[in-house]
Amino acid sequence: MNLIRVELHKMLPYRTVWAILAIFVVLMLLILYAGSEITINGQELGEQMYDLPKFWQILAYIASFFNMLFGVLLIVLVTDEYTFRTLRQQVIDGMSRAELVLAKFYVVLGLGAFATVFLLVLGLYFGLLHGQNHSANAVFGQIDHLSYYYVQTVGYMTLAMLFGFLIRKSGLAIVAFIAYTIVVEPIIHFRLPDSVDKFMPVKALKSLTPMPGQEVLDQLTTPSEALPLPWAVLISLVYIGLFWFLSYFTLKLRDL
Amino acid sequence: MQITLSACQENNSFILYFVAGFSNLLYNKHPKPVAVILQTEQLNKRYGGIQAVDRLSLQVEQGSIYGLLGPNGSGKTTTLGMVLDVIRPTSGSFAWFGQPVSRTTKHRIGALLETPNFYPYLTARRNLEIAAEIKGVDHKRIAQVLHLVGLSQRSHTTFKGFSLGMKQRLALAATLLNDPEVLVLDEPTNGLDPEGIAEVRELILQIAAQGKTIILASHLLDEVEKVCTHVAVLQKGMLRAEGRVDTILSAKDQFIISARNLPQVLEVLKQLPFVAAYQPEGEAVNLTLNEGYGSADVNKAMFEAGVVLQQLTLRRKSLEAQFLEIIKSQA
C-alpha cells in the first residue's frame, strides 16, 4: 500500500510520535505495577486484579484514559501537514483529497493496532505471571474487550483527526478536542435524558470500556443508562464513518 | 526628398509583409501542430470582497517558457494554485493537455508553489523519498536530481538545517523527480543570492532546451525578460497584456541622438513617419520609434536629410517604466 508507505516515511523518523507512544507505554506499566500495591481492607488488590479473564476489562478501562494522548498525537500529525504546507504539495504531486484523509485514517488504524497489541502483551504477561487461572478458557474468555478498546481508540483518534483537519492550528485544535470531549459533551449530557445522550459520540465511545465493577456501583446509586456493548460498537462505527466523511468534506470545500 | 524616403519605407514594409505572408503560406502547407499545454477559461477567484483573479483566460503552448508577471498581490500564485488543484476557482475552468486535472495530468507536471514545502525534521533524501512515492517514481531518480541541483553532499542534512537557497533548490529537485513535461515554478529565485539566481535561471534554460514547457511566475521583470519566451502581465487579477516577450516587453526602445545642428534634426524628426515621439533634452534628443524600426532607419533618414549625427545611442527603457506603461495603456 503506497499510502501506508508514505505515512511510515513521515512518522518513523518523527520524535514526537515516539515520545507520545513512550509516554503511553511507560504510564500503562506504571499504573499496572502501582495497581497491585493498592490495599483495600488490609488485603492487597494485586493478585485479584490480574486475574484473567476479568483483567481484560480492567486493562481496556485503564487504557481508555490515554485516548486523549492518542488524540493529541493525531492532531499533531494532521496540523503539521498544514503548517509544513505538505498537504498542499501532496495534492500538487498527485494525491486526491480522499487519499489524504484515507492516509491519516490508516495512521489511526495503525496506532490503534499498536495500542491493542500492547494491551494483549500486557494482559498475557501480567495475567499469566500473577493471575490464578491459566486455563485457555480463562485467558481468552473475555478477550473481546480488546476489540471494543480498539474501536474506541480508533473512534477518539478519528474525532481528533476531524478537529485537526477542521481547525488546522495544532494548539487550538488540541484545546477544542479536549474541551469537547471532557467539558462540552458532558455538560450536554446533564441537560439531556440518558435515553438520548447515550447516543452522543463521546458517551457511545466511552460505553465501549465500561468501568469494572460498574454493576456494583449501579446498585448503590441510580444507574446511568449506557448502550449495551454490541450497540455501542455499531454506533461508534457509524460515528467513525461520519468523522471520516466530515474530514474529507472539509478538505473538499476548502482551499489548501 | 522626404516623400521618396516615405515611399521607400512603404516599399520596405511591403516587402516585409510579402515575406511574412509567404512564410505563413509555407507554415500552413506544413502545419506543425503546437499542442496547448494549459488553457484557462474565464478563471475567477473571489476572497470575500477581493477579486484575486478576474476572468483570466490564458493559453500556454508546448515548448514555451511562459512568464506570469505582476506585482505582489496581482493574483499569480492564486492562478497557479487554481490550475494546480489546491485552490478552488470561484468560477471558470481550466484544462491540462486538453484534459481536466487528474492524477495522470499531475504526474506529467512538476510544480513548486510559493514556498518549498517539506518536513523540517526529515533529511533532504527522506523528503524526496516521500515525493517519489507520491509521484510513483523510482527512488534511483533521487540521487540524480540531488546531483542536478548541487545538493548531493547535503542529502543527509535535515530540511530545517538548510539555508533558504538550499531549500529552494531542494524544491526544484522535487519538481524534477518525475521528469515532467511541464514545470510550474512560482518565484523560483526568491531568496537566492546572485549566484543562486544565476544557477537556477541556467537550470531553467537547460530544462527548457530539452523541449519542456515552463510556466514561471515572477514579479521580477528582469527575470521574465531573461528567461521567458512568452509573458502574461497581471495586475489586480486581470490580464493586462499577453504575448511574446520581445513584442510585449522590449518593443519601444529609446534612442538618443545629437548633431551639431539641433534645430534641423528636430525639423527632420517632425516629418519622419516612423518616429513615435521625440523630446529634446539639452544637447540631445530622445526619441521613440514605431515597432519594427531601428537605429539604422534613423541614421539613414538623417543622412539623406543632410544631417550628420554625432551620437546615436540605443537606451533600453527601464523595465519598470515599460511595465508601468503596459499597465497604464491597458487600464
Side-chain angles (χ1 to χ4, degrees):
Chain A
M1 259 306 178
N2 194 13
L3 288 180
I4 294 175
R5 255 209 318 272
V6 169
E7 292 303 312
L8 281 178
H9 268 306
K10 297 178 200 167
M11 286 172 64
L12 290 181
Y14 198 15
R15 290 221 186 96
T16 310
V17 174
W18 293 110
I20 289 184
L21 292 183
I23 290 172
F24 170 68
V25 167
V26 169
L27 288 184
M28 276 303 288
L29 286 171
L30 219 62
I31 290 177
L32 287 183
Y33 274 119
S36 64
E37 307 282 307
I38 294 172
T39 333
I40 298 172
N41 299 333
Q43 192 193 7
E44 273 201 6
L45 195 61
E47 305 306 304
Q48 280 178 29
M49 174 171 145
Y50 301 131
D51 274 350
L52 291 168
K54 266 275 174 209
F55 186 45
W56 293 123
Q57 192 185 349
I58 297 174
L59 259 183
Y61 179 70
I62 295 174
S64 73
F65 298 154
F66 297 102
N67 284 325
M68 287 289 133
L69 198 63
F70 281 104
V72 168
L73 175 55
L74 242 290
I75 289 176
V76 169
L77 290 177
V78 170
T79 53
D80 266 358
E81 304 266 6
Y82 281 108
T83 319
F84 305 152
R85 289 172 172 260
T86 38
L87 221 49
R88 179 185 247 208
Q89 192 62 45
Q90 281 157 34
V91 169
I92 291 175
D93 289 348
M95 273 170 86
S96 67
R97 284 157 172 79
E99 283 174 318
L100 291 180
V101 181
L102 198 60
K104 282 289 172 280
F105 188 62
Y106 287 149
V107 171
V108 168
L109 295 181
L111 288 171
F114 166 82
T116 309
V117 169
F118 179 62
L119 290 198
L120 177 71
V121 172
L122 282 181
L124 292 177
Y125 176 76
F126 282 94
L128 295 179
L129 214 64
H130 301 290
Q132 304 291 328
N133 196 344
H134 291 174
S135 69
N137 216 356
V139 172
F140 298 109
Q142 293 178 26
I143 206 165
D144 55 336
H145 279 287
L146 285 190
S147 53
Y148 301 140
Y149 167 74
Y150 182 69
V151 173
Q152 182 191 56
T153 192
V154 165
Y156 270 96
M157 282 190 276
T158 317
L159 179 62
M161 173 180 91
L162 172 62
F163 272 93
F165 277 120
L166 211 61
I167 298 177
R168 293 189 269 198
K169 299 264 183 287
S170 62
L172 208 57
I174 290 170
V175 168
F177 172 66
I178 293 177
Y180 177 75
T181 46
I182 63 182
V183 182
V184 177
E185 217 194 275
I187 288 176
I188 299 173
H189 294 166
F190 276 125
R191 311 291 258 146
L192 291 174
D194 275 355
S195 55
V196 179
D197 72 24
K198 68 181 174 188
F199 291 105
M200 291 194 67
V202 173
K203 192 154 189 185
L205 287 173
K206 266 192 177 153
S207 52
L208 285 166
T209 55
M211 189 164 79
Q214 181 71 49
E215 317 86 61
V216 185
L217 216 66
D218 282 351
Q219 286 167 5
L220 300 175
T221 58
T222 29
S224 78
E225 199 183 329
L227 289 169
L229 276 172
W231 272 101
V233 170
L234 187 71
I235 299 287
S236 298
L237 290 179
V238 169
Y239 274 120
I240 289 169
L242 183 72
F243 299 153
W244 193 100
F245 182 74
L246 288 177
S247 298
Y248 168 70
F249 208 61
T250 310
L251 281 185
K252 190 84 191 158
L253 286 186
R254 279 219 199 118
D255 296 338
L256 288 176
Chain B
M1 194 65 168
Q2 207 49 61
I3 293 162
T4 355
L5 188 78
S6 305
C8 177
Q9 245 358 106
E10 269 161 18
N11 267 338
N12 266 344
S13 45
F14 174 69
I15 291 168
L16 273 177
Y17 278 130
F18 181 74
V19 170
F22 189 62
S23 67
N24 263 343
L25 263 175
L26 275 178
Y27 186 82
N28 288 339
K29 243 186 183 167
H30 304 284
K32 187 178 151 221
V34 184
V36 176
I37 296 291
L38 170 66
Q39 179 137 30
T40 73
E41 206 67 65
Q42 300 280 313
L43 267 188
N44 260 309
K45 181 66 186 180
R46 277 191 87 80
Y47 289 112
I50 298 156
Q51 187 81 39
V53 173
D54 197 358
R55 287 161 294 157
L56 190 62
S57 297
L58 296 176
Q59 184 165 319
V60 179
E61 287 175 356
Q62 189 171 29
S64 57
I65 309 181
Y66 195 97
L68 268 184
L69 179 64
N72 293 328
S74 56
K76 303 184 296 286
T77 299
T78 310
T79 304
L80 293 185
M82 284 192 283
V83 298
L84 291 174
D85 190 33
V86 294
I87 296 175
R88 289 158 44 88
T90 309
S91 66
S93 65
F94 62 91
W96 284 101
F97 317 104
Q99 301 160 25
V101 71
S102 68
R103 185 196 300 271
T104 325
T105 64
K106 285 176 182 179
H107 281 183
R108 297 168 69 179
I109 302 168
L112 152 64
L113 191 60
E114 233 171 347
T115 47
N117 305 324
F118 293 104
Y119 298 90
Y121 57 89
L122 293 181
T123 62
R125 210 197 146 74
R126 283 187 182 277
N127 268 304
L128 290 189
E129 277 170 6
I130 292 177
E133 285 288 344
I134 293 170
K135 295 182 179 198
V137 175
D138 192 333
H139 286 216
K140 274 191 216 125
R141 275 290 288 172
I142 295 171
Q144 292 172 12
V145 293
L146 279 173
H147 177 73
L148 202 62
V149 298
L151 284 178
S152 296
Q153 303 295 317
R154 306 302 296 270
S155 64
H156 295 291
T157 308
T158 52
F159 179 67
K160 63 174 173 241
F162 273 12
S163 69
L164 190 52
M166 287 158 78
K167 288 178 177 175
Q168 202 76 22
R169 279 189 279 164
L170 184 64
L172 211 55
T175 62
L176 296 174
L177 267 178
N178 50 339
D179 196 18
E181 295 163 51
V182 190
L183 266 189
V184 181
L185 305 171
D186 188 8
E187 310 269 2
T189 56
N190 220 357
L192 296 182
D193 55 17
E195 199 189 348
I197 291 176
E199 274 174 32
V200 166
R201 284 183 188 159
E202 184 55 37
L203 197 59
I204 292 173
L205 291 174
Q206 266 176 37
I207 294 163
Q210 298 165 17
K212 300 194 171 171
T213 310
I214 294 171
I215 302 172
L216 175 114
S218 178
H219 65 276
L220 303 170
L221 278 135
D222 170 58
E223 178 161 281
V224 170
E225 202 206 17
K226 278 189 180 139
V227 175
C228 297
T229 58
H230 293 73
V231 64
V233 181
L234 291 185
Q235 190 207 17
K236 290 180 185 159
M238 273 164 68
L239 185 63
R240 293 299 190 190
E242 190 197 16
R244 291 194 60 88
V245 165
D246 42 19
T247 57
I248 300 263
L249 288 184
S250 318
K252 290 167 185 169
D253 290 324
Q254 263 191 334
F255 292 92
I256 306 167
I257 57 172
S258 64
R260 210 155 282 171
N261 193 348
L262 204 59
Q264 199 194 341
V265 170
L266 294 178
E267 195 57 38
V268 177
L269 284 177
K270 206 183 288 178
Q271 294 170 36
L272 284 182
F274 56 85
V275 173
Y278 65 93
Q279 199 177 11
E281 207 178 270
E283 295 290 293
V285 185
N286 291 343
L287 59 136
T288 331
L289 303 183
N290 283 333
E291 219 170 296
Y293 294 90
S295 50
D297 299 304
V298 181
N299 202 7
K300 190 176 169 212
M302 285 297 165
F303 195 75
E304 281 171 3
V307 181
V308 178
L309 293 176
Q310 283 180 313
Q311 182 201 2
L312 171 58
T313 13
L314 168 72
R315 186 213 270 161
R316 311 220 79 179
K317 213 186 287 178
S318 87
L319 288 162
E320 280 66 27
Q322 285 180 44
F323 183 66
L324 290 176
E325 230 168 61
I326 290 168
I327 286 179
K328 246 187 266 160
S329 68
Q330 306 284 325

